[in-house]
Amino acid sequence: MNTISFKATVASAEKNEQDQFFMIGLADDEYDFENYILLQQSFSFSEQDKQTGMDGHYFEINGQENAAYKVCTQVILEKDAITFVLDTNITGDLEKVVVDISEVEAEEGFNEYLQAIMGDRLVDNTH
């Protein structure tokens, strides 16, 4: 099983009331990034979302070709890192993505929106 690791320098958080979604992002650079993660979830899901399997969180790493719905089985938030544990039935041999956040100043709402997206799949070890 494989793990991707990178050090983030940027962490963004958004609660979009107009389009009805939460989003968090992590990247190794604000503009010229090589590695990034995008995690997003709608406030609610339509019947079509449910029928197509899009009724959960959206996870993308380093491009839309590396994206899936409901792929994170667990997200472990620690003081200096976030670990995304992935469903290998969806990702093949990619088991984890570990992001070093030791030097990131997360935007306001980051932890709250991460909780809203991941629910009981979030393990918050920051306390």
Side-chain angles (χ1 to χ4, degrees):
M1 297 291 162
N2 289 330
T3 299
I4 293 176
S5 299
F6 69 91
K7 184 173 188 139
T9 61
V10 179
S12 62
E14 180 181 358
K15 180 180 181 181
N16 187 312
E17 297 285 352
Q18 180 178 342
D19 294 327
Q20 301 278 295
F21 67 84
F22 292 105
M23 183 172 64
I24 64 162
L26 296 159
D28 58 8
D29 188 87
E30 188 170 1
Y31 302 107
D32 189 26
F33 49 83
E34 284 186 38
N35 294 294
Y36 74 89
I37 285 179
L38 187 64
L39 192 60
Q40 187 174 321
Q41 181 160 306
S42 294
F43 293 172
S44 62
F45 302 105
S46 68
E47 282 305 311
Q48 183 178 1
D49 291 338
K50 293 172 186 173
Q51 291 170 0
T52 58
M54 297 168 62
D55 58 336
H57 66 274
Y58 172 83
F59 178 85
E60 179 178 316
I61 179 167
N62 301 338
Q64 288 183 330
E65 67 277 10
N66 303 312
Y69 284 88
K70 302 187 274 191
V71 69
C72 297
T73 59
Q74 189 176 51
V75 175
I76 304 162
L77 178 61
E78 296 172 318
K79 186 177 170 220
D80 292 338
I82 299 179
T83 301
F84 298 88
V85 181
L86 307 176
D87 181 345
T88 55
N89 292 316
I90 298 171
T91 63
D93 63 350
L94 182 59
E95 183 179 30
K96 285 187 215 172
V97 178
V98 179
V99 183
D100 178 337
I101 57 169
S102 60
E103 296 179 17
V104 170
E105 188 171 322
E107 287 186 0
E108 184 178 335
F110 186 89
N111 290 12
E112 176 188 346
Y113 302 162
L114 181 61
Q115 176 67 54
I117 294 168
M118 295 311 306
D120 62 2
R121 292 181 175 166
L122 177 65
V123 177
D124 187 345
N125 291 333
T126 59
H127 308 297

